[in-house]
Amino acid sequence: MRLRALLDTDALGLRLLGGGDELDRTVRGVMTTDLRDPSRYLSGGELVLTGLAWRRDAADSEPFVRILTQAGVAALAVGEAELGDIPDDLVAACARHRLPLFAVHESVAFATITEHVVRQVSGERAGDLAAVVDRHRRMMTSGPAGGGPDVVLDLLGSDLDLRAWVLSPTGRLVAGPKATGAALPADLCAKLAAEHLAATRTGRRGPHRVIVGTTTYSLFPVRSGGRSPQSSQSARDVRETMLSDWLLAVEADAGDWAEERLDLLHGVTQLIAVERDRRDAARTVRRRLAQEVLELVQAGAAPAEIAARLRVAAPVLLPGLGAAPHWQVVVARVDWDGDGVEGGPVAQALLEEILVAPSPAAAGGGGHPHSAGPESSDRIAVAHTGGEAVALVPLPAVSAEHDGSEAGVLADALLETVRGPLTAGLGDEGRVTLGVSAAVHSAEGLRGALEEARHARRVAAARPGPVCAAGHQELASHVLLLPFVPDDVRRAFTARLLDPLRDYDRRHRAELIPTLEAFLDCDGSWTRCAARLHLHVNTLRYRVGRIEQLTGRDLSRLEDKLDFFLALRMG
């Protein structure tokens, strides 16, 4: 029931002293207390009744009201029988904390108010239970077979006034309510997915509560494979499934929901899990095709034999583009601290989700070819071998004057898409590394593309951070060499060149390191570098001279410029 309904009930003798803007709060119970700190007996949503026996002087009002507010009570009602007028300090404290305050006429017993509230709340709960049973029946009959998750989400909106969305662990929007067309921004999807993965990794049971701005979201895990949403999981189980299971994001605070409503939402997640399993089963053919092609390539089969297998795969993976499209290879690996988790299947499921997600830097500026929607994953074939997953990505054939190096999947785009959610999900316990090949136009090039993608992944693995990716473009750059320089050699090289400058900067605040970085970035141009640093050219010349003096190097020589450049990259 609402506070407004209590105020409108004349028999209760309530008079509003403050908080008129908060009368739509829901009352879920009632408590009478004269304790100075009743927090241990509060669960939120109560109407608190008090005779002020806890109050000795004006200083007691502020801490008492603060305790009630932190406990989430709906309102405070104070009896006038003992003191008559309600103290001004209590009125002021309630106003500061936006806690509605009522005065109870001396002729009305607290027992009368308690009985009324309990009767109303109990009646509403009984009605809610009957409605929940009916809604559950309707949703079960409408389930995924009747139109997919969108139908269930529309029912949540029409029957329970709940806006909800289904998200992948990478933050991809899988489904949303079609009736309202309410979409979630990509950055919000990524944030919710990150919060969900972080909570799942630490073993917290759902739903997980997330506040974004002024809006509260409740995140319910969608566990595939017939697992109950309420079932507990071992650390190993979590690692095997958390990077592939979907989640249901509801725009509401489920923390104060009745068990019946929570059960209904858990039932909804099971319906969505059926759809998740259906889509996973549909990938079986594509996985088998990818596995067969991968085994042929790794075994050194003749190009003609691989080409024949690709001709079978092409119509399934990319219908309408002929039998010989271009292909890319993407390799992924998921590593966890400790033993016991088979990384290949985990990386396979994750890579299938990653390659569905929209890519902001795709060819033609319109998202990469596999970001059209949930069913676009039908065009990706992912196999796994050992601890890694290998994706065979078909692309439209490019014109003869292009080599495909700027088409298709880009490593930076993949990284940008998934870095936030996966970093939160992996924590300090896991790593995801990705490598992307260039596009190849024939079976002869597929073996080279696989090795190129694997080598790019090794370059990514040599970098710090829980989520790293590298593309084929980087294999022709100095960045290919830097990760494989032994750590002690890297430290000695950078220390010899940069430590004198760092020590000087610490003592004199001379900013020699930033000056060196800017000078090299401007290709040694005095005027451009001075303009970038907002310095006079003579000041810049003085700083560069000091750098040369401290290091014994000459920044007019290409060899010394290159040494400084590499030292900064490795430092």
Side-chain angles (χ1 to χ4, degrees), residues 62 80 110 119 128 144 160 196 264 296 328 338 352 378 414-415 417 422 465 472 481-482 489 510 527 531 570:
E62 172 67 24
E80 296 178 319
F110 283 173
R119 187 169 57 249
D128 282 347
L160 293 181
H196 172 74
L264 174 63
L296 288 173
Q328 261 185 300
E352 286 169 337
D378 293 350
L414 289 183
L415 190 61
T417 300
L422 293 187
H472 60 92
L481 302 175
L482 295 184
V489 175
T527 53
M570 292 190 295

Side-chain angles (χ1 to χ4, degrees), residues 130-153:
V132 161
V133 171
D134 179 64
R135 287 161 183 154
H136 193 275
R137 177 188 57 78
R138 292 176 58 196
M139 288 181 182
M140 289 298 293
T141 57
S142 299
D150 300 325
V151 173
V152 179
L153 299 181

Side-chain angles (χ1 to χ4, degrees), residues 1 26-30 42-48 71-75 117 256:
M1 66 179 303
T26 300
V27 179
R28 293 187 296 275
V30 62
L42 297 170
S43 58
E46 295 92 349
L47 172 66
V48 174
V73 305
V117 171
D256 58 357

Side-chain angles (χ1 to χ4, degrees), residues 135-389:
R135 287 161 183 154
H136 193 275
R137 177 188 57 78
R138 292 176 58 196
M139 288 181 182
M140 289 298 293
T141 57
S142 299
D150 300 325
V151 173
V152 179
L153 299 181
D154 282 338
L155 279 174
L156 282 177
S158 61
D159 281 23
L160 293 181
D161 196 26
L162 291 175
R163 297 204 306 170
W165 301 265
V166 179
L167 306 178
S168 80
T170 61
R172 176 174 63 90
L173 182 61
V174 177
K178 287 185 176 180
T180 61
L184 285 181
D187 58 342
L188 179 55
C189 290
K191 180 174 178 58
L192 295 178
E195 295 284 351
H196 172 74
L197 286 177
T200 302
R201 173 175 51 83
T202 55
R204 304 206 317 261
R205 294 184 61 183
H208 312 303
R209 182 172 177 267
V210 179
I211 300 176
V212 181
T214 58
T215 305
T216 301
Y217 296 89
S218 296
L219 310 179
F220 294 79
V222 177
R223 295 182 176 173
S224 57
R227 292 171 294 132
S228 167
Q230 296 97 329
S231 63
S232 59
Q233 290 181 286
S234 67
R236 175 179 173 177
D237 292 338
V238 168
R239 290 176 174 184
E240 289 178 343
T241 60
M242 64 179 287
L243 298 182
S244 58
D245 283 349
W246 290 348
L247 65 134
L248 177 68
V250 182
E251 190 180 298
D253 187 350
D256 58 357
W257 283 3
E259 287 298 322
E260 295 82 7
R261 176 170 284 210
L262 285 173
D263 287 343
L264 174 63
L265 265 293
H266 288 311
V268 169
T269 65
Q270 290 177 309
L271 289 175
I272 297 170
V274 172
E275 175 67 8
R276 173 71 178 83
D277 291 341
R278 183 189 69 79
R279 295 189 187 186
D280 194 59
R283 291 171 173 165
T284 302
V285 174
R286 297 186 296 282
R287 287 174 172 174
R288 187 175 68 248
L289 287 171
Q291 200 74 39
E292 291 174 358
V293 172
L294 176 62
E295 290 173 359
L296 288 173
V297 170
Q298 292 190 136
E305 186 177 359
I306 299 174
R309 201 75 200 106
L310 288 176
R311 281 194 293 272
V312 174
V316 176
L317 302 179
L318 204 60
L321 292 183
H326 284 61
W327 302 91
Q328 261 185 300
V329 175
V330 181
V331 173
R333 186 178 180 93
V334 179
D335 294 294
W336 294 100
D337 291 343
D339 300 323
V341 178
E342 187 179 354
V346 176
Q348 181 183 46
L350 175 63
L351 195 51
E352 286 169 337
E353 286 292 349
I354 289 176
L355 291 173
V356 176
S359 172
H368 79 60
H370 313 289
S371 60
E375 297 303 331
S376 61
S377 60
D378 293 350
R379 298 176 176 181
I380 305 297
V382 185
H384 69 83
T385 175
E388 69 180 11

